[in-house]
Amino acid sequence: MQVQRVQRAKRGGFTLVGCLVAFGACSLLTVTAIFATLFIFRDQLVNAGFEVAGFEAEGRTDDIFTDVQSNPVPQVVQQEQAPAQFSVSAGTYGQETIPNNAGASLIVGTDETGQDIATVTSTEGDFVELCRAWSYVCTSQGITESGYTVRNASIDLKPGGGIVYAEVQPEGSALRQRVGLVMQVEGTRLVVRGVDVNGFLYSSPPAELATLVNEAERVANDVIRQVAVTAQGEQYDLESISINDGSLTVILR
């Protein structure tokens, strides 16, 4: 897909677009706190393993995405003329207007049964381009909250889920820790499976960090629950989410 740069002024925190770009990890303070807590344990990570920090090793992260069947994407057999732009709303989280094919590709029409359908597809590269246009969190400059800078956020889409990566760095320090938040989709619900460090999955975090992870999951699913797309005067509500290697498609009706 040819990605067109969205010319918007960058914002410090996550907007609605930022929420969706970050695969639902919408609360910047929550995500920053997760990464910051992991950074606090950096000595244990290097010297004695993640288990010392209160986590449990679950094996290689890629293993949980093996043999996963993604939700099917219905074929749009009768396509309407592609709209120039569309709006994404999520109730109390606000609304954003996105040019079509500028980080997300919208197709509207009918399926094989004649029912109205809309699909929105983005690749990993699309997510990063859209995120860079809207927020510094996906750039080397990053965003600083609560004494920590989070930067170079990216997403690695896997069958049925994905990993949101970012670097965290305390203010005044040259040290950085790159970690990932591992998530899977169950129906239309996002489930946090743990954190990825160097390709290995760690779950069952200590109580204080578990609270933060649960909050990130709650906010993510609150956003997903309210998501709707409006194009050419028609509103489409979320039906399912399909994720494969490198791409994510949202199916709406």
Side-chain angles (χ1 to χ4, degrees):
M1 181 193 306
Q2 181 66 37
V3 179
Q4 303 169 8
R5 182 84 172 170
V6 183
Q7 297 300 322
R8 301 291 183 94
K10 286 186 174 66
R11 305 178 183 183
F14 284 110
T15 61
L16 170 60
V17 171
C19 296
L20 299 176
V21 165
F23 197 40
C26 185
S27 172
L28 176 61
L29 289 175
T30 300
V31 174
T32 302
I34 291 171
F35 291 145
T37 304
L38 295 175
F39 194 91
I40 291 171
F41 294 130
R42 64 187 181 277
D43 292 335
Q44 291 96 321
L45 300 183
V46 173
N47 296 328
F50 218 33
E51 295 91 336
V52 176
F55 289 78
E56 293 181 5
E58 300 288 343
R60 297 199 64 84
T61 303
D62 284 346
D63 290 346
I64 72 167
F65 300 109
T66 301
D67 298 326
V68 174
Q69 296 295 319
S70 301
N71 290 330
V73 178
Q75 184 178 3
V76 183
V77 296
Q78 186 69 37
Q79 293 187 23
E80 300 177 7
Q81 182 176 356
Q85 62 184 26
F86 59 96
S87 65
V88 180
S89 61
T92 56
Y93 293 92
Q95 176 176 307
E96 302 286 357
T97 298
I98 304 174
N100 201 4
N101 295 318
S105 176
L106 172 69
I107 297 175
V108 294
T110 56
D111 64 12
E112 294 177 342
T113 67
Q115 293 183 308
D116 291 339
I117 186 173
T119 63
V120 180
T121 301
S122 289
T123 66
E124 293 171 355
D126 295 334
F127 278 117
V128 173
E129 284 294 309
L130 192 57
C131 180
R132 286 174 178 167
W134 280 88
S135 175
Y136 287 115
V137 74
C138 289
T139 69
S140 59
Q141 178 173 332
I143 296 173
T144 300
E145 292 281 354
S146 304
Y148 290 87
T149 298
V150 179
R151 58 164 61 85
N152 293 327
S154 63
I155 186 167
D156 183 8
L157 295 173
K158 305 281 190 180
I163 310 167
V164 177
Y165 289 104
E167 294 176 1
V168 61
Q169 179 180 15
E171 286 187 279
S173 172
L175 298 174
R176 299 183 186 182
Q177 176 70 52
R178 183 175 185 266
V179 293
L181 200 60
V182 181
M183 294 172 279
Q184 288 184 303
V185 171
E186 294 182 353
T188 58
R189 180 171 177 78
L190 195 66
V191 180
V192 177
R193 297 301 187 194
V195 295
D196 174 271
V197 178
N198 298 325
F200 287 88
L201 177 66
Y202 297 87
S203 63
S204 301
E208 61 273 16
L209 184 54
T211 299
L212 297 172
V213 171
N214 291 337
E215 175 64 9
E217 185 176 293
R218 184 197 67 79
V219 173
N221 285 298
D222 198 30
V223 171
I224 292 171
R225 180 179 58 83
Q226 300 181 66
V227 161
V229 167
T230 301
Q232 298 172 332
E234 296 291 331
Q235 178 174 310
Y236 300 86
D237 297 320
L238 177 66
E239 179 182 77
S240 62
I241 301 170
S242 180
I243 307 175
N244 292 292
D245 274 319
S247 68
L248 180 151
T249 299
V250 178
I251 299 96
L252 310 103
R253 295 185 186 274

